[in-house]
Structure formats: structure tokens, C-alpha cells
Amino acid sequence: MMVFGLIALIAGAASALMFASIVSGALISLVLFYLAPLPLMVAAIGWGPFYASLGGIAAAVGLGAIFGLPYCIAFAVTIALPAWWLGHLVLLGRHVAGVTPAVDVAAPTEPEIEWYPVGRIMLWIAGFAVLTTLAALLTLGTDADTITATLHRGLMRILRASDPQATGEADQFIDALVRIAPAAAAIVSMMTLTLNLWLSAKVTATSGRLRRPWPDLKTAELPAMTLAVLCIALAFCFTGGLLAIVAQITTAALMMAYALTGFAVLHTLTLALKSRTFWLGSTYAVVVVFGWPVIAMVILGLADAVFGFRERFLRNRQPPPLPIS
């Protein structure tokens, strides 16, 4: 028991150090900051959510004692809580009674386990992205005007520090950045949480501590109601005030969730291609280098949610039934 407690404390200390490294201002600290949930997620998936919660509480208390209460709350909300809950969802499953064949009634069957769907985990990741982004923005102010003005002053201060001769065109550029900053922050949060969860699952699978089979990511799909929520959030983006900011953050996070399902659709639709590896690699490279082609993945994910491209493709690939003699 002491060994497992030590593992929890080590995971918490590693996450706390990576989170606090942002204070140094070094470029590498930004990478460490975004990877801060990784040790706690590894502890949650490899040893259980209890150990992630133990390590997260210890890390939050330590950060609060050293840097103050704001750091404690920020770590608990943005790092510890998502790591603990997502690790819990990865291991969440329920027994499903198997069907006993009629020819062998006496033979007992092992109950199958239905694991928590990957699509619902993606939806939780989007929710945490909205939560952490909104929490960060609320530290700047409690209304849209204050948040926008604080962002504008901060970005302008950074620009003036690098270019003291900034002109009016720079001010327009800052205005554009301020408008897209909340959505961009939600996208970054969504992608980093997804990357951390994937890496932690890979680490535990490699070490043999992953207690669920590796899911078929090609079949990942979001719940049907997600599309309705996205439409509602998109409509509220055209309102004003804090509600519009919340709607923009929600829309950006859900769009990225559909982009991930778009990649899953692409992996499915290219199963019949001989040069499948080349086309998939080229697609990922173009998206990573240029960024904006991810819009095509969003469209593909949305189209699959409406028209069911994967289901039709897989149905057509099945061999025809054998003739009845």
C-alpha cells in the first residue's frame, strides 16, 4: 500500500513541477505546462483513479503553500480534475452477459465487458476544454468588455515589447487576435488534453498495466445529441456579451471533437486503398504544418454524423450472404 501511495505522490509531484515550470518563462516550460496532466493520467489509468486523486490533492496543496491559493485552484481545475475523471472513464466498464450457444448449454461463458465509449470520452474532453478556458478567462474579468480589454492590453504590451514602433495596423491585428483568442484557447486545451490521454494510455499499454483492450479508434463517434448542442452553441455565438464568448468556446471545442471523428472517418474510408499509409501520413502532415486544412476534417466528421458514411462503407465491404441450398 505504501508503494502505491508513493506512486501517487510521485505522479502528483511531477505534474506540479511541470505546471509550475511556466513561472520560469522558458520556452520549454510551455511544453511541460501542457503535458502536466500526463503523470496523473498515467497513475489513474495504470493504478486507478484513487491514486490520481491522491496525487492531485497533494500537488494542489503543495502549489498553494508555495505560490498561493490561485495556483492551487488553477492546478486543481485545469490539471488534477481532468486527469482524475478521464482516467476514471477510461477504466469504466460494465459486464454484459454473453449468449450461451444452444449446442453447448452446460458450458459457462465469461461475461463480456462493455467499456465506456471513446466518443463519449471525447465529449468529456471537450467539456473540460470549455471549463478550463472559461475559468482562465474569468480571471481576467467577469464580463465580456473587461475580458476583451484585459486581453487587448496584454497582447498590446507583448507587441510593444517586441516592436516599440507598432502602428495602427498592429492595433487592428491585436483586435482580431482578441476576437479569436477564446476559441483558439479552447482548441489548444482540447488538443492537449486529447494528446495527454492518448500518451498516458500508450504508456500504460506498453507497460502492461492497461486493464482494457485498446479501442478501435476508427469506430469513435460522438453521441447524436452533440450535433444539436453544436447548432445551439453556434446560434448563441451571434449574440453578445459573456454568453457569446461561452458559445464561441463551446463551438470551438465541439468542432475539434468532430475533427477527431473526421480523422476516424478518414481511417475507415481509406481501408481499401493500397497506398493508405501514404495518404494518411500526407493528410496528417498537411494538417500539422498548415493548420487550416483541419476544417476539412471537421466537415467530414459532421457529414458522417448526418449521413453515416462509415456505416455505409463498412456495409458495402461485407461479403454477400451465401446462397441457401
Side-chain angles (χ1 to χ4, degrees):
M1 187 67 182
M2 184 174 294
V3 174
F4 289 122
L6 185 61
I7 290 173
L9 293 178
I10 291 174
S15 286
L17 288 173
M18 295 167 75
F19 178 81
S21 66
I22 197 70
V23 178
S24 67
L27 185 60
I28 188 63
S29 67
L30 190 61
V31 178
L32 294 175
F33 174 79
Y34 284 126
L35 292 177
L38 183 60
L40 288 176
M41 284 186 179
V42 171
I45 298 174
W47 285 270
F50 171 75
Y51 299 99
S53 62
L54 179 63
I57 292 172
V61 171
L63 287 171
I66 297 173
F67 297 102
L69 185 60
Y71 277 83
C72 173
I73 297 175
F75 179 85
V77 173
T78 63
I79 305 297
L81 179 61
W84 163 71
W85 184 247
L86 292 176
H88 165 71
L89 293 179
V90 168
L91 301 179
L92 188 61
R94 62 182 179 182
H95 291 285
V96 179
V99 179
T100 305
V103 295
D104 192 9
V105 178
T109 58
E110 289 290 333
E112 297 181 357
I113 299 179
E114 182 183 4
W115 298 99
Y116 198 75
V118 175
R120 292 185 179 272
I121 295 178
M122 287 196 300
L123 195 59
W124 275 103
I125 293 175
F128 278 120
V130 173
L131 174 64
T132 55
T133 304
L134 186 60
L137 290 177
L138 288 177
T139 61
L140 306 178
T142 56
D143 60 87
D145 293 336
T146 305
I147 292 173
T148 302
T150 306
L151 280 174
H152 191 280
R153 285 196 302 269
L155 292 173
M156 184 59 72
R157 193 180 303 116
I158 295 173
L159 182 63
R160 292 279 168 80
S162 59
D163 184 13
Q165 305 298 326
T167 61
E169 292 183 359
D171 192 66
Q172 296 177 358
F173 175 70
I174 294 296
D175 288 338
L177 284 181
V178 168
R179 283 194 291 269
I180 66 173
I187 291 173
V188 171
S189 180
M190 175 80 184
M191 298 311 298
T192 53
L193 275 177
T194 304
L195 177 63
N196 277 294
L197 187 61
W198 183 84
L199 286 175
S200 60
K202 275 295 183 183
V203 169
T204 52
T206 303
S207 63
R209 298 202 62 91
L210 184 62
R211 286 176 280 174
R212 66 173 287 175
W214 191 262
D216 185 6
L217 299 179
K218 296 192 302 295
T219 62
E221 60 180 356
L222 296 170
M225 285 300 297
T226 308
L227 191 58
V229 175
L230 175 60
C231 293
I232 294 172
L234 193 60
F236 277 110
C237 289
F238 298 97
T239 59
L242 189 60
L243 179 61
I245 294 178
V246 175
Q248 291 165 12
I249 294 172
T250 305
T251 300
L254 292 179
M255 285 288 192
M256 287 310 301
Y258 275 110
L260 294 176
T261 60
F263 281 109
V265 175
L266 185 66
H267 276 261
T268 302
L269 298 182
T270 55
L271 285 173
L273 295 180
K274 293 182 179 180
S275 54
R276 179 171 181 261
T277 303
F278 169 77
W279 288 111
L280 289 176
S282 300
T283 302
Y284 279 104
V286 168
V287 170
V288 170
V289 172
F290 297 102
W292 63 264
V294 75
I295 298 174
M297 294 298 103
V298 175
I299 295 173
L300 186 58
L302 290 170
D304 179 71
V306 176
F307 301 107
F309 288 152
R310 276 180 293 184
E311 183 180 354
R312 295 183 182 183
F313 176 80
L314 294 175
R315 191 190 310 128
N316 293 333
R317 287 196 72 204
Q318 292 178 353
L322 296 175
I324 300 176
S325 56

